[in-house]
Amino acid sequence: MGNTGYKSFAALELYYVDDGTPTGQPTKPNVVTDPDYIAPVLDTVTCAPSTRYYSVEKKLSAKRNNCGSGYTGSTVTLTSYPNQFFSTVSLADANAQADAWLAANVQTYANNAGKCEVTYTPPTGGGGGGSGCLVEGTLITLPDGTTKPIEELTLDQLLLSVEIETLQDTNNTEELYKWSSTDLSENRIVSPITKLTHKIAYETIIVNDGLFEATPTHLQLVQRDGFWRFIPLGDIQLGDNLYTINQEIIPVTAVTVNLEKRNIYPMTLNPFHTFFANGILTHNYKQAIDTDY
Protein backbone atom coordinates (compact mmCIF):
# COMPACT_ATOMS: atom_id res chain seq x y z
CA MET A 1 0.00 0.00 0.00
CA GLY A 2 1.31 3.48 -0.81
CA ASN A 3 1.86 6.35 1.58
CA THR A 4 -1.22 7.82 3.22
CA GLY A 5 0.37 11.12 4.25
CA TYR A 6 0.30 10.17 7.94
CA LYS A 7 3.44 9.53 10.00
CA SER A 8 3.16 6.84 12.65
CA PHE A 9 5.50 5.91 15.51
CA ALA A 10 6.63 2.35 16.20
CA ALA A 11 8.31 2.93 19.60
CA LEU A 12 8.26 5.40 22.48
CA GLU A 13 11.39 6.79 24.17
CA LEU A 14 11.43 8.95 27.33
CA TYR A 15 13.11 12.39 27.05
CA TYR A 16 13.86 15.16 29.57
CA VAL A 17 11.55 18.12 29.08
CA ASP A 18 14.14 20.75 30.05
CA ASP A 19 16.82 19.98 27.50
CA GLY A 20 15.20 17.36 25.26
CA THR A 21 17.84 14.71 25.88
CA PRO A 22 16.97 11.01 26.26
CA THR A 23 16.74 9.63 29.79
CA GLY A 24 18.41 6.40 28.82
CA GLN A 25 15.44 4.28 29.87
CA PRO A 26 14.44 1.43 27.52
CA THR A 27 12.04 2.22 24.68
CA LYS A 28 8.61 0.60 24.56
CA PRO A 29 6.21 -0.25 21.72
CA ASN A 30 3.75 2.47 20.74
CA VAL A 31 0.43 0.62 21.16
CA VAL A 32 -3.05 2.09 21.51
CA THR A 33 -3.56 0.49 24.92
CA ASP A 34 -0.61 2.40 26.40
CA PRO A 35 -1.57 5.67 28.17
CA ASP A 36 1.43 7.28 26.44
CA TYR A 37 0.29 6.19 22.96
CA ILE A 38 0.94 8.73 20.21
CA ALA A 39 -1.50 8.58 17.28
CA PRO A 40 -0.33 9.01 13.68
CA VAL A 41 0.03 12.64 12.63
CA LEU A 42 -0.53 14.15 9.21
CA ASP A 43 2.85 14.99 7.66
CA THR A 44 2.54 15.34 3.90
CA VAL A 45 6.11 16.67 3.66
CA THR A 46 7.95 13.76 5.23
CA CYS A 47 5.32 11.19 4.18
CA ALA A 48 4.05 12.48 0.87
CA PRO A 49 0.86 10.53 0.07
CA SER A 50 0.87 8.20 -2.92
CA THR A 51 -1.43 8.94 -5.86
CA ARG A 52 -4.74 7.11 -5.60
CA TYR A 53 -6.68 5.87 -8.60
CA TYR A 54 -10.41 5.30 -8.14
CA SER A 55 -12.56 2.87 -10.08
CA VAL A 56 -15.23 4.08 -12.48
CA GLU A 57 -18.82 2.82 -12.54
CA LYS A 58 -18.99 -0.77 -13.80
CA LYS A 59 -21.99 -3.05 -14.40
CA LEU A 60 -22.47 -6.78 -14.88
CA SER A 61 -25.72 -8.63 -15.58
CA ALA A 62 -26.75 -12.20 -14.80
CA LYS A 63 -29.91 -14.27 -15.01
CA ARG A 64 -31.39 -15.85 -11.91
CA ASN A 65 -30.56 -19.57 -12.11
CA ASN A 66 -32.23 -21.09 -9.05
CA CYS A 67 -35.86 -21.06 -10.21
CA GLY A 68 -37.92 -24.23 -10.11
CA SER A 69 -39.06 -26.33 -13.04
CA GLY A 70 -41.36 -24.44 -15.40
CA TYR A 71 -39.96 -21.04 -14.45
CA THR A 72 -37.32 -18.82 -16.01
CA GLY A 73 -35.19 -16.40 -14.04
CA SER A 74 -35.17 -12.72 -14.93
CA THR A 75 -31.96 -10.84 -15.69
CA VAL A 76 -30.70 -8.28 -13.18
CA THR A 77 -27.72 -5.94 -13.14
CA LEU A 78 -25.23 -5.45 -10.32
CA THR A 79 -23.43 -2.10 -10.19
CA SER A 80 -20.02 -1.17 -8.82
CA TYR A 81 -20.35 2.54 -8.19
CA PRO A 82 -17.69 5.19 -8.91
CA ASN A 83 -14.86 5.32 -6.34
CA GLN A 84 -15.93 2.02 -4.77
CA PHE A 85 -12.38 0.66 -5.24
CA PHE A 86 -9.00 2.39 -5.33
CA SER A 87 -5.43 1.56 -6.21
CA THR A 88 -2.08 3.25 -5.72
CA VAL A 89 -0.80 1.40 -8.78
CA SER A 90 -3.05 2.45 -11.67
CA LEU A 91 -6.60 3.17 -12.77
CA ALA A 92 -6.63 -0.17 -14.57
CA ASP A 93 -5.87 -1.92 -11.29
CA ALA A 94 -8.74 -0.11 -9.53
CA ASN A 95 -11.13 -1.05 -12.33
CA ALA A 96 -9.87 -4.63 -12.25
CA GLN A 97 -10.83 -4.79 -8.57
CA ALA A 98 -14.33 -3.64 -9.50
CA ASP A 99 -14.56 -6.26 -12.26
CA ALA A 100 -13.42 -8.99 -9.89
CA TRP A 101 -15.97 -7.96 -7.27
CA LEU A 102 -18.77 -7.96 -9.83
CA ALA A 103 -17.80 -11.39 -11.16
CA ALA A 104 -17.68 -12.84 -7.65
CA ASN A 105 -21.04 -11.44 -6.54
CA VAL A 106 -23.33 -10.98 -9.55
CA GLN A 107 -24.85 -14.49 -9.53
CA THR A 108 -25.67 -14.36 -5.83
CA TYR A 109 -27.22 -10.95 -6.38
CA ALA A 110 -29.27 -12.25 -9.34
CA ASN A 111 -30.54 -15.22 -7.34
CA ASN A 112 -31.65 -12.93 -4.52
CA ALA A 113 -32.99 -9.96 -6.50
CA GLY A 114 -34.20 -11.63 -9.71
CA LYS A 115 -37.72 -12.90 -10.33
CA CYS A 116 -38.93 -16.35 -11.38
CA GLU A 117 -41.37 -16.09 -14.28
CA VAL A 118 -43.56 -18.80 -15.75
CA THR A 119 -42.13 -20.40 -18.87
CA TYR A 120 -44.66 -21.51 -21.43
CA THR A 121 -43.70 -23.48 -24.54
CA PRO A 122 -46.53 -23.71 -27.06
CA PRO A 123 -47.32 -27.22 -28.28
CA THR A 124 -46.02 -28.34 -31.67
CA GLY A 125 -49.06 -30.35 -32.69
CA GLY A 126 -51.15 -27.42 -33.90
CA GLY A 127 -52.44 -26.25 -30.53
CA GLY A 128 -50.08 -23.31 -30.35
CA GLY A 129 -51.41 -21.25 -33.22
CA GLY A 130 -53.21 -17.99 -32.72
CA SER A 131 -56.03 -18.69 -35.18
CA GLY A 132 -58.65 -19.70 -32.62
CA CYS A 133 -62.27 -18.69 -32.94
CA LEU A 134 -65.40 -18.40 -30.81
CA VAL A 135 -68.58 -20.29 -31.57
CA GLU A 136 -71.92 -18.95 -32.75
CA GLY A 137 -74.03 -17.55 -29.92
CA THR A 138 -71.09 -16.22 -27.90
CA LEU A 139 -72.09 -12.87 -26.39
CA ILE A 140 -69.56 -10.09 -27.00
CA THR A 141 -69.57 -7.00 -24.76
CA LEU A 142 -69.99 -3.58 -26.38
CA PRO A 143 -68.60 -0.31 -24.94
CA ASP A 144 -71.92 0.56 -23.26
CA GLY A 145 -71.96 -2.75 -21.38
CA THR A 146 -74.61 -4.42 -23.53
CA THR A 147 -73.86 -7.63 -25.41
CA LYS A 148 -74.43 -8.92 -28.91
CA PRO A 149 -74.03 -12.45 -30.36
CA ILE A 150 -70.77 -12.73 -32.25
CA GLU A 151 -72.55 -13.67 -35.48
CA GLU A 152 -74.43 -10.33 -35.40
CA LEU A 153 -71.32 -8.17 -35.11
CA THR A 154 -70.19 -6.07 -38.07
CA LEU A 155 -66.90 -4.80 -39.40
CA ASP A 156 -65.67 -1.60 -37.66
CA GLN A 157 -68.03 -2.16 -34.73
CA LEU A 158 -66.55 -0.99 -31.45
CA LEU A 159 -66.05 -3.51 -28.64
CA LEU A 160 -65.16 -3.10 -25.00
CA SER A 161 -61.46 -3.89 -24.76
CA VAL A 162 -58.84 -4.01 -22.02
CA GLU A 163 -55.37 -2.56 -21.77
CA ILE A 164 -53.31 -4.74 -19.41
CA GLU A 165 -50.69 -2.48 -17.82
CA THR A 166 -47.89 -5.07 -17.80
CA LEU A 167 -48.57 -6.28 -21.36
CA GLN A 168 -47.31 -4.75 -24.57
CA ASP A 169 -50.44 -5.72 -26.48
CA THR A 170 -49.71 -7.48 -29.72
CA ASN A 171 -51.30 -9.83 -32.21
CA ASN A 172 -48.11 -11.90 -32.35
CA THR A 173 -48.80 -15.23 -30.69
CA GLU A 174 -45.16 -16.03 -29.95
CA GLU A 175 -44.71 -12.73 -28.11
CA LEU A 176 -47.89 -13.30 -26.12
CA TYR A 177 -46.66 -16.74 -25.04
CA LYS A 178 -43.56 -15.11 -23.53
CA TRP A 179 -45.58 -12.74 -21.34
CA SER A 180 -46.62 -13.55 -17.78
CA SER A 181 -47.43 -11.46 -14.74
CA THR A 182 -48.66 -11.87 -11.19
CA ASP A 183 -50.54 -8.59 -11.59
CA LEU A 184 -53.53 -7.96 -13.86
CA SER A 185 -54.04 -4.22 -13.42
CA GLU A 186 -56.10 -3.09 -16.40
CA ASN A 187 -57.88 -0.14 -17.98
CA ARG A 188 -61.11 -0.40 -19.98
CA ILE A 189 -60.82 0.97 -23.50
CA VAL A 190 -62.56 0.63 -26.88
CA SER A 191 -61.24 -1.15 -29.95
CA PRO A 192 -62.88 -1.68 -33.38
CA ILE A 193 -63.31 -4.93 -35.31
CA THR A 194 -60.99 -4.89 -38.33
CA LYS A 195 -61.71 -8.40 -39.62
CA LEU A 196 -64.65 -10.76 -39.10
CA THR A 197 -65.30 -13.97 -41.02
CA HIS A 198 -67.41 -17.13 -40.75
CA LYS A 199 -65.97 -20.65 -40.78
CA ILE A 200 -66.81 -24.19 -39.72
CA ALA A 201 -65.07 -26.14 -36.95
CA TYR A 202 -65.34 -29.82 -36.04
CA GLU A 203 -63.62 -29.60 -32.67
CA THR A 204 -64.16 -27.08 -29.90
CA ILE A 205 -63.34 -26.83 -26.20
CA ILE A 206 -66.19 -26.20 -23.77
CA VAL A 207 -65.26 -24.61 -20.44
CA ASN A 208 -67.43 -24.74 -17.31
CA ASP A 209 -70.38 -26.47 -18.96
CA GLY A 210 -70.93 -23.88 -21.68
CA LEU A 211 -69.66 -20.69 -20.06
CA PHE A 212 -67.08 -20.41 -22.82
CA GLU A 213 -66.58 -22.36 -26.06
CA ALA A 214 -63.97 -21.90 -28.79
CA THR A 215 -61.58 -23.85 -30.98
CA PRO A 216 -58.53 -25.47 -29.31
CA THR A 217 -56.20 -22.87 -30.84
CA HIS A 218 -58.13 -19.91 -29.45
CA LEU A 219 -55.75 -17.74 -27.42
CA GLN A 220 -57.06 -17.54 -23.86
CA LEU A 221 -55.96 -15.60 -20.78
CA VAL A 222 -55.67 -17.78 -17.67
CA GLN A 223 -54.11 -17.60 -14.24
CA ARG A 224 -52.00 -20.64 -13.37
CA ASP A 225 -49.63 -21.06 -10.42
CA GLY A 226 -50.19 -17.42 -9.52
CA PHE A 227 -49.23 -16.07 -12.96
CA TRP A 228 -51.47 -14.65 -15.69
CA ARG A 229 -50.53 -15.78 -19.19
CA PHE A 230 -51.96 -16.69 -22.59
CA ILE A 231 -52.39 -20.30 -23.68
CA PRO A 232 -54.25 -22.16 -26.44
CA LEU A 233 -57.69 -23.03 -25.11
CA GLY A 234 -56.90 -26.67 -25.83
CA ASP A 235 -54.30 -26.55 -23.04
CA ILE A 236 -56.65 -25.24 -20.36
CA GLN A 237 -56.71 -27.25 -17.12
CA LEU A 238 -58.98 -27.72 -14.16
CA GLY A 239 -57.81 -25.28 -11.50
CA ASP A 240 -56.84 -22.56 -13.98
CA ASN A 241 -58.58 -19.23 -13.37
CA LEU A 242 -60.42 -16.90 -15.74
CA TYR A 243 -60.90 -13.13 -15.47
CA THR A 244 -64.42 -11.71 -15.75
CA ILE A 245 -65.88 -8.41 -16.85
CA ASN A 246 -66.72 -7.73 -13.19
CA GLN A 247 -63.01 -8.05 -12.31
CA GLU A 248 -63.64 -11.35 -10.59
CA ILE A 249 -61.42 -14.41 -10.81
CA ILE A 250 -63.33 -17.64 -11.35
CA PRO A 251 -61.91 -21.18 -11.44
CA VAL A 252 -62.11 -23.61 -14.32
CA THR A 253 -64.20 -26.48 -12.97
CA ALA A 254 -65.01 -28.42 -16.14
CA VAL A 255 -63.39 -28.89 -19.55
CA THR A 256 -64.92 -31.01 -22.31
CA VAL A 257 -64.13 -31.58 -25.98
CA ASN A 258 -66.93 -31.18 -28.51
CA LEU A 259 -66.56 -32.96 -31.86
CA GLU A 260 -69.79 -31.76 -33.41
CA LYS A 261 -69.93 -29.21 -36.21
CA ARG A 262 -69.88 -25.59 -35.04
CA ASN A 263 -70.13 -22.23 -36.75
CA ILE A 264 -67.16 -20.14 -35.65
CA TYR A 265 -66.24 -16.50 -36.19
CA PRO A 266 -62.56 -15.52 -36.46
CA MET A 267 -62.35 -11.90 -35.36
CA THR A 268 -59.53 -9.36 -35.29
CA LEU A 269 -59.44 -6.12 -33.29
CA ASN A 270 -56.97 -3.29 -33.71
CA PRO A 271 -55.07 -1.60 -32.11
CA PHE A 272 -56.00 -3.49 -28.91
CA HIS A 273 -56.75 -7.18 -29.14
CA THR A 274 -58.58 -8.15 -25.95
CA PHE A 275 -62.34 -8.27 -25.46
CA PHE A 276 -65.02 -9.95 -23.35
CA ALA A 277 -66.79 -13.09 -24.58
CA ASN A 278 -69.61 -14.34 -22.35
CA GLY A 279 -68.15 -12.03 -19.73
CA ILE A 280 -64.67 -13.63 -19.89
CA LEU A 281 -61.60 -11.65 -20.93
CA THR A 282 -60.06 -13.24 -24.00
CA HIS A 283 -57.91 -12.45 -27.05
CA ASN A 284 -58.71 -12.05 -30.73
CA TYR A 285 -57.93 -14.01 -33.86
CA LYS A 286 -54.42 -13.79 -35.29
CA GLN A 287 -55.03 -12.17 -38.65
CA ALA A 288 -51.81 -13.45 -40.23
CA ILE A 289 -53.18 -17.02 -40.20
CA ASP A 290 -56.02 -17.75 -42.59
CA THR A 291 -56.54 -21.50 -42.52
CA ASP A 292 -59.88 -23.24 -42.95
CA TYR A 293 -61.02 -25.63 -40.24
Side-chain angles (χ1 to χ4, degrees), residues 154-170:
T154 58
L155 198 63
D156 296 325
Q157 185 158 15
L158 296 178
L159 301 184
L160 181 64
S161 186
V162 165
E163 180 183 24
I164 300 173
E165 293 183 0
T166 58
L167 172 67
Q168 182 66 44
D169 198 13
T170 175

Side-chain angles (χ1 to χ4, degrees), residues 129-132 171-174 267-268 284-290:
S131 55
N171 208 17
N172 185 303
T173 308
E174 297 304 320
M267 181 171 64
T268 300
N284 68 187
Y285 170 76
K286 183 178 179 183
Q287 190 168 350
I289 297 178
D290 194 16

Side-chain angles (χ1 to χ4, degrees), residues 259-279:
L259 299 179
E260 296 181 358
K261 178 181 176 181
R262 288 282 196 268
N263 291 310
I264 58 172
Y265 293 84
M267 181 171 64
T268 300
L269 281 68
N270 197 48
F272 294 96
H273 304 281
T274 54
F275 62 100
F276 290 97
N278 287 347

